[in-house]
Amino acid sequence: MTIRSILAIATVAMIASCQKKSNDTIDPSKVMVSISNPIGNQSFHNGDTLQVNAHVSYTSELHGYEVKVVDTSTGTILFDYEEHVHMDVFDVDKRWPVAVSAATNAVVTIVVSIDHNGETATKEVGVRLDP
Amino acid sequence: MKKVTPLLCAVMLAAYSGKACDVCGCASSGQYFGLLPQASRSFAGVQYQYYKFTTAHPSLFENKREEQSTNFYSTAQAWGRYTLGKRLQLFGFVPYRYNLQESDTITYREHGIGDVTLMADVVFLNSGEAITHQLLAGGGVKLPTGQYTGVSENDRLGLPNMQPGTGSWDAILNANYTMRQGRKGLNVDASYTLTTPNRDHVKYGNKFAAGVVAFRSLHADDVTIIPQIGARYEFALHDYDNYSRKWLNEQSGGYMAFGTVALQANYRRAGLRMIYNLPVSQKYSSGYVYARQKIETSLFILIN
């Protein structure tokens, strides 16, 4: 092997380093979030487990999701969880032991992160929480 | 005394590893062959490398603070060189990695056998009298022998490339040039690592590394002391979260530049080397990963 061949290999290696990137355009409307649990207006009592199940899919890479349970009257966050993902299809499976001091109308929200610039898609379902 | 003529051959290997979390891919810890006595002789030894980073993991969602962590990458490895005649030198590294991350909320550890690296270098130039020149160049492969369990829950949570192995086959090209005049000398080394996707389609960014050190040999009886000073530069391209779908992770990759001081001592057939790298400029993982220091200690014994 000569110096010339080493340089040739190195040059090919550098050229091969050109990084291609997916041409997919960001489109939050194409994010599909299907929440199977809870169902709309489902009621829970203290001691119950509010189970959140959802199937998420998109045409390109997703970067993470957040699951929140929020008191709709006060805006108080009762439960909050976020996770990074690097997939186009994934399932959400989170549980929250219900604990409220008064009857509460709440919303379960799943926020999906599409990129690192704040693009998200959101799906919500309302629930009733009782002591 | 003169038999222990030190020849600086800081041949840089690049057994990099990296996981595809958003801000990481940060274990771009290359490996030096370093200052080896008797370039024509085989040797065996052990190395210990320590690499410290601080990392910020930004939240993907509004009104959430970023999580801070400190990462410690430690590698203990067997290494050696086997010379085949005057022209060919074979090198091998068998690492054991212990990686620790301390964040605001958890402490996380990964340890196990790492990826084995095998190299073959050809001596292209070894000549001169008043001024001597030596040029080694060649290449090798990093094998997916290390512990790799796929994209784990911790990876999804934003923990960096903590696993001992990358799960990928990588090719390495390297070159090393040493010029000596009397007891003074200069060494320049460079390497380029071409990565391939692993079974999860994760492809860590190709890496380039180059370094230069000036050195001087000090002799006393059977002991040779070789202080060195120099600089080092490392650059990594972006990782791919999924190479087949071209999901480029633009928050990975970047560069780090280090100031380097090192000291090597040779006593008869034994050698000890210590290297300290302090970052002087860097932008890695969009600035979310910050290298603090990099330390390497090596022991080796000449075999023949």
Side-chain angles (χ1 to χ4, degrees), chain B residues 245-263:
Chain B
R245 300 185 67 176
K246 297 294 178 285
W247 291 352
L248 189 66
N249 180 353
E250 294 180 282
Q251 287 195 311
S252 61
Y255 80 92
M256 295 177 181
F258 299 89
T260 301
V261 292
L263 186 68

Side-chain angles (χ1 to χ4, degrees), chain B residues 114-147:
Chain B
D115 291 337
V116 170
T117 299
L118 302 173
M119 300 282 290
D121 274 19
V122 174
V123 180
F124 286 99
L125 182 63
N126 195 0
S127 64
E129 294 182 0
I131 300 176
T132 64
H133 306 274
Q134 184 183 58
L135 175 63
L136 302 176
V141 63
K142 185 195 70 61
L143 310 169
T145 56
Q147 181 178 311

Side-chain angles (χ1 to χ4, degrees), chain A residues 2 5 10 21 26 39 51-52 65 121 128:
Chain A
T2 65
S5 60
K21 180 184 174 185
I26 301 296
I39 59 174
Q51 183 152 341
V52 181
Y65 71 89
R128 171 79 178 181

Side-chain angles (χ1 to χ4, degrees), chain B residues 12-248:
Chain B
M12 215 294 294
L13 289 183
Y16 298 100
S17 64
K19 283 298 304 170
C21 77
D22 288 345
V23 300
C24 298
C26 45
S28 60
S29 54
Q31 300 181 35
Y32 289 101
F33 276 0
L35 187 60
L36 306 174
Q38 303 283 349
S40 61
R41 298 176 68 177
S42 302
F43 74 86
V46 291
Q47 282 187 329
Y48 174 75
Q49 298 170 342
Y50 172 84
Y51 213 164
K52 179 181 178 182
F53 296 91
T54 53
T55 306
H57 298 277
S59 174
L60 293 166
F61 303 99
E62 292 179 351
N63 304 320
K64 300 243 180 123
R65 68 185 182 92
E66 62 185 21
E67 187 170 7
Q68 307 289 330
S69 69
T70 304
N71 305 332
F72 306 90
Y73 292 86
S74 298
T75 301
Q77 64 184 359
W79 67 313
R81 177 183 67 196
Y82 184 74
T83 56
L84 285 172
K86 294 182 179 178
R87 292 283 302 241
L88 186 60
Q89 301 186 356
L90 308 178
F91 298 90
F93 290 83
V94 182
Y96 184 90
R97 298 190 186 279
Y98 182 89
N99 298 329
L100 170 68
Q101 181 174 67
E102 294 177 340
S103 72
D104 300 342
T105 52
I106 62 168
T107 297
Y108 181 70
R109 295 179 180 82
E110 284 272 8
H111 56 88
I113 295 293
D115 291 337
V116 170
T117 299
L118 302 173
M119 300 282 290
D121 274 19
V122 174
V123 180
F124 286 99
L125 182 63
N126 195 0
S127 64
E129 294 182 0
I131 300 176
T132 64
H133 306 274
Q134 184 183 58
L135 175 63
L136 302 176
V141 63
K142 185 195 70 61
L143 310 169
T145 56
Q147 181 178 311
Y148 173 76
T149 56
V151 180
S152 68
E153 184 74 7
N154 286 304
D155 299 321
R156 294 193 198 100
L157 286 169
L159 294 173
N161 42 324
M162 296 289 287
Q163 297 190 57
T166 67
S168 65
W169 292 79
D170 298 341
I172 302 165
L173 300 171
N174 77 298
N176 177 271
Y177 170 74
T178 303
M179 180 189 70
R180 297 172 54 81
Q181 181 179 28
R183 295 185 174 183
K184 296 177 292 185
L186 188 72
N187 172 265
V188 181
D189 72 75
S191 73
Y192 193 78
T193 303
L194 289 128
T195 61
T196 64
N198 64 21
R199 69 182 189 221
D200 294 313
H201 307 286
V202 174
K203 181 181 181 297
Y204 307 109
N206 291 353
K207 312 286 194 304
F208 171 77
V212 57
V213 290
F215 64 91
R216 183 179 181 88
S217 300
L218 307 172
H219 301 267
D221 297 327
D222 287 341
V223 177
T224 302
I225 304 292
I226 310 160
Q228 305 158 53
I229 187 167
R232 178 162 185 79
Y233 176 82
E234 298 178 358
F235 175 81
L237 294 174
H238 298 308
D239 300 335
Y240 281 94
D241 293 340
N242 186 314
Y243 186 65
S244 62
R245 300 185 67 176
K246 297 294 178 285
W247 291 352
L248 189 66

